[in-house]
Amino acid sequence: MSSVRVRIAPSPTGDPHVGTAFIALFNMIFARHHDGKFILRIEDTDQSRSKEEYEKNIFKALYWCNLKWDEGPDVGGNYGPYRQSERLSIYKEHSEILLSKGKAYKCFCTSDDLDEMREMSKKNGGRQGYDRRCRNLSEEEIREKEQKGLSYTVRLKVPLTGECVYEDAIRGRITCPWADVDDQVLMKSDGFPTYHMANIVDDHLMEISHVIRGDEWMSSVPKHVLLYESFGWTPPVFMHMPLLLGADGKKLSKRRNPTSIFFFRDSGYLPEALLNFLSLMGYSMPGDREIYSIDDIIAEFDEKRIGISGAVFDNKKLDWINQQYLIKNIPEENLWNRIKEWQFNDAFMAKLVPLVHTRIKTFADFMDMCDFFFINDLKYTPELFAVPKASPLSACLIIQAIIWILDQKEDWGSESLNETSRVVAEMFGVNHKKVIMRLLFASIMGKQQGPPLFDSAEVLGKDRTRARFLRSIEFLGGISNKKMDILKKSFDSGDCKALIEENL
Ligand code: GLU
């Protein structure tokens, strides 16, 4: 029996990201290639951001991709529980071990103290981060503070000199001066662990042999290596996968690109094509083959073929790969069935019928009204977005403000969009119907009018609506970083009227 055990450890704090599918894919390939186990662990210790709905969507999205794990909260296993919120006593116990070994210390600083520290170091240009003032408290001082009932966090005692050296199986030897590493909080004052603490304790107790994850986590490795050392444990092998980049060369982010797995599902992509495409972003098959099955990679997997530099998410390439799969894997006689399964199904049509019922004059009008539900690239024109008073840039700012509010509310439903559109009209001092509604019709439907706007957006779904907003902003010329900062300030003050000036 192989001792290879790998895991993905998503946090249920947002929509299921293609990056999660990318990392899950390589973990699954690695596990299958080595005849090991692939585990899914839910890292839900951020109480304010974790949601059950997001967790459900992670399962749903990964299963849609055909990524299956051997152990996890939904399928069980011998190393559970697989949800961190159900393991709190384990972390507490382990933080006490570190305290008793003198590898960690109690920190009584309040958030005000920390703010003050930050201000001071900014002013003096000194070292950023925690100034370690609680690191050398005497036993007596600690007792006194505890008797007063002061709450505390537990911090890791990071060496003050020297450097951390570790091997990454993909990137080779990495060194990092300890002076660059902060005394990381391991346990928060509410008794919850931070990511670092829970992640290391779980990886050890779940006997994870290889940590395969995105390279945005590399900066955490020194803390992790030190934690393993402090406990007296052997660390797993680290393998950091390249970052997924957007067309702009920056990290693929929902702020600029559609990133939800559901966006690709709802836009009519095949999961096997998406996985093939994602695998190409991290791996090169011998002979530079581009179309192959996951079983092909599993069979010949060689970690030396994993890429190091970030790969750009090229939508045209994804379209091409998807087309190859449509041709190769779906015979003509099955195509209509697959399209029906996608969105020409009864359940989806039942959502459209109330939107058009009293509006169509003939059946043929149905397609005319509902085409935007089935089309990915709407034909935008400048005229479509030309609204009184607002320049194309102002239109971008308005749409961006709408995205921010809906994201803040974490609610992209009909009611929420309706309410938000009114708030934004007020905020920018523009006519709701003539400006905001027109922009929204243009962006969501690619036309000046259509079925009820807000209900349609809800049926279209958050991911595709969001993607259309982003595409409209891009179509209208985009928002420079400078303008984005100006917008953010006005937005935070609740008054964006000055941004509607003609030549902004
Ligand atoms: N919870 C982290 C995430 O959201 C896990 C990172 C890791 O794999 O260590 O991706």
Side-chain angles (χ1 to χ4, degrees):
M1 180 61 198
S2 157
S3 57
V4 165
R5 290 176 57 81
V6 294
R7 67 3 176 227
I8 52 162
S11 297
T13 51
D15 301 314
H17 199 285
V18 276
T20 304
F22 174 66
I23 296 299
L25 172 64
F26 280 95
N27 274 279
M28 190 186 82
I29 291 171
F30 192 84
R32 301 280 172 268
H33 178 76
H34 292 285
D35 203 12
K37 295 277 184 234
F38 169 41
I39 291 127
L40 185 143
R41 179 173 76 229
I42 291 288
E43 298 208 329
D44 59 347
T45 54
D46 185 342
Q47 274 179 295
S48 57
R49 294 176 57 220
S50 296
K51 281 194 179 169
E52 211 183 303
E53 180 199 338
Y54 291 142
E55 180 187 303
K56 279 202 188 111
N57 284 342
I58 291 173
F59 296 154
K60 205 162 147 189
L62 295 180
Y63 281 133
W64 176 76
C65 291
N66 267 317
L67 292 162
K68 296 196 181 83
W69 39 97
D70 306 300
E71 298 169 27
D74 58 336
V75 294
N78 294 334
Y79 295 76
Y82 293 92
R83 200 177 274 114
Q84 290 189 325
S85 58
E86 294 165 18
R87 301 171 62 84
L88 297 181
S89 59
I90 301 177
Y91 310 125
K92 174 111 188 56
E93 206 180 289
H94 281 84
S95 81
E96 269 149 28
I97 296 176
L98 290 180
L99 284 169
S100 68
K101 285 178 139 193
K103 304 287 185 188
Y105 60 94
K106 293 179 181 171
C107 169
F108 295 88
C109 293
T110 62
S111 51
D112 284 349
D113 294 335
L114 296 174
D115 285 347
E116 214 174 279
M117 246 174 258
R118 212 164 295 133
E119 280 306 306
M120 285 295 281
S121 53
K122 238 192 239 161
K123 233 192 253 157
N124 306 334
R127 181 182 174 282
Q128 299 285 322
Y130 180 58
D131 68 5
R132 301 181 158 128
R133 66 177 69 165
C134 292
R135 184 163 160 140
N136 296 313
L137 293 179
S138 67
E139 300 244 334
E140 211 174 297
E141 283 171 307
I142 296 174
R143 205 171 316 120
E144 231 169 71
K145 287 180 190 291
E146 281 187 299
Q147 271 162 7
K148 276 196 210 147
L150 298 185
S151 62
Y152 60 83
T153 59
V154 175
R155 284 184 185 268
L156 180 63
K157 248 188 213 172
V158 173
L160 303 175
T161 54
E163 48 189 23
C164 171
V165 182
Y166 69 92
E167 287 290 327
D168 182 286
I170 300 175
R171 281 147 212 272
R173 174 165 295 236
I174 311 278
T175 45
C176 165
W178 285 119
D180 291 351
V181 183
D182 217 10
D183 279 2
Q184 175 62 47
V185 172
L186 302 175
M187 298 293 287
K188 295 179 261 185
S189 53
D190 59 5
F192 269 68
T194 56
Y195 152 70
H196 306 280
M197 178 72 177
N199 187 272
I200 267 35
V201 168
D202 286 349
D203 280 350
H204 174 73
L205 296 179
M206 294 181 181
E207 295 182 24
I208 299 303
S209 59
H210 297 73
V211 165
I212 307 172
R213 62 183 167 194
D215 78 355
E216 70 267 38
W217 299 99
M218 276 187 81
S219 58
S220 300
V221 180
K223 294 170 187 171
H224 296 184
V225 168
L226 182 60
L227 272 167
Y228 281 104
E229 214 175 278
S230 305
F231 279 116
W233 298 336
T234 312
V237 176
F238 293 106
M239 298 171 70
H240 287 90
M241 298 292 300
L243 265 192
L244 302 187
L245 307 174
D248 53 4
K250 294 191 192 135
K251 182 180 164 195
L252 196 69
S253 150
K254 80 165 192 187
R255 267 174 288 148
R256 294 177 296 268
N257 321 93
T259 54
S260 167
I261 296 171
F262 294 144
F263 168 79
F264 297 96
R265 179 197 63 187
D266 298 344
S267 300
Y269 290 95
L270 297 168
E272 52 275 33
L274 181 64
L275 286 193
N276 189 151
F277 169 75
L278 288 175
S279 75
L280 275 172
M281 296 185 71
Y283 194 76
S284 57
M285 287 290 267
D288 287 334
R289 277 171 70 199
E290 293 197 303
I291 305 289
Y292 43 78
S293 73
I294 299 310
D295 285 343
D296 293 342
I297 319 185
I298 292 173
E300 70 81 58
F301 184 75
D302 174 0
E303 60 205 48
K304 288 191 207 69
R305 303 192 78 90
I306 292 179
I308 292 183
S309 48
V312 174
F313 201 99
D314 177 352
N315 290 303
K316 286 210 173 68
K317 180 93 181 217
L318 172 59
D319 284 354
W320 178 78
I321 291 179
N322 203 65
Q323 186 181 21
Q324 302 309 307
Y325 273 81
L326 283 175
I327 297 168
K328 197 171 90 170
N329 289 7
I330 306 183
E332 209 172 284
E333 60 272 23
N334 284 355
L335 185 59
W336 174 233
N337 266 338
R338 296 297 298 269
I339 295 175
K340 273 201 288 194
E341 263 168 39
W342 168 60
Q343 267 182 346
F344 281 81
N345 56 57
D346 286 350
F348 192 68
M349 291 300 162
K351 292 182 189 169
L352 302 193
V353 165
L355 301 176
V356 300
H357 185 205
T358 55
R359 293 180 175 80
I360 50 173
K361 290 185 220 62
T362 63
F363 293 148
D365 287 346
F366 174 77
M367 249 313 151
D368 196 36
M369 281 213 153
C370 293
D371 56 353
F372 65 94
F373 286 108
F374 306 100
I375 293 172
N376 284 340
D377 292 324
L378 299 179
K379 301 277 171 287
Y380 289 154
T381 61
E383 297 71 45
L384 198 55
F385 287 92
V387 288
K389 267 173 82 183
S391 65
L393 177 58
S394 312
C396 290
L397 301 180
I398 288 172
I399 299 172
Q400 182 60 61
I402 293 175
I403 297 178
W404 281 341
I405 297 179
L406 294 172
D407 273 348
Q408 260 167 21
K409 296 208 281 190
E410 295 187 58
D411 180 358
W412 284 64
S414 168
E415 272 296 296
S416 171
L417 180 57
N418 186 348
E419 211 178 87
T420 301
S421 68
R422 285 165 212 284
V423 169
V424 168
E426 185 86 3
M427 204 183 233
F428 282 82
V430 293
N431 185 293
H432 178 251
K433 202 155 174 240
K434 290 195 194 128
V435 178
I436 307 291
M437 292 291 276
R438 281 229 13 208
L439 288 178
L440 289 175
F441 267 113
S443 179
I444 293 170
M445 303 188 190
K447 38 186 141 193
Q448 287 183 355
Q449 57 195 23
L453 178 67
F454 305 118
D455 290 347
S456 298
E458 181 169 317
V459 172
L460 185 65
K462 165 189 180 170
D463 302 304
R464 296 179 84 196
T465 303
R466 195 173 208 297
R468 286 177 191 196
F469 286 169
L470 292 178
R471 216 189 118 219
S472 307
I473 293 175
E474 197 186 308
F475 174 79
L476 292 167
I479 307 173
S480 67
N481 289 344
K482 202 167 140 216
K483 294 278 158 51
M484 196 68 106
D485 288 346
I486 298 175
L487 172 66
K488 189 79 181 74
K489 275 205 194 93
S490 314
F491 178 82
D492 288 342
S493 76
D495 184 355
C496 298
K497 294 187 189 68
L499 305 185
I500 287 297
E501 304 299 313
E502 232 128 281
N503 292 318
L504 180 95

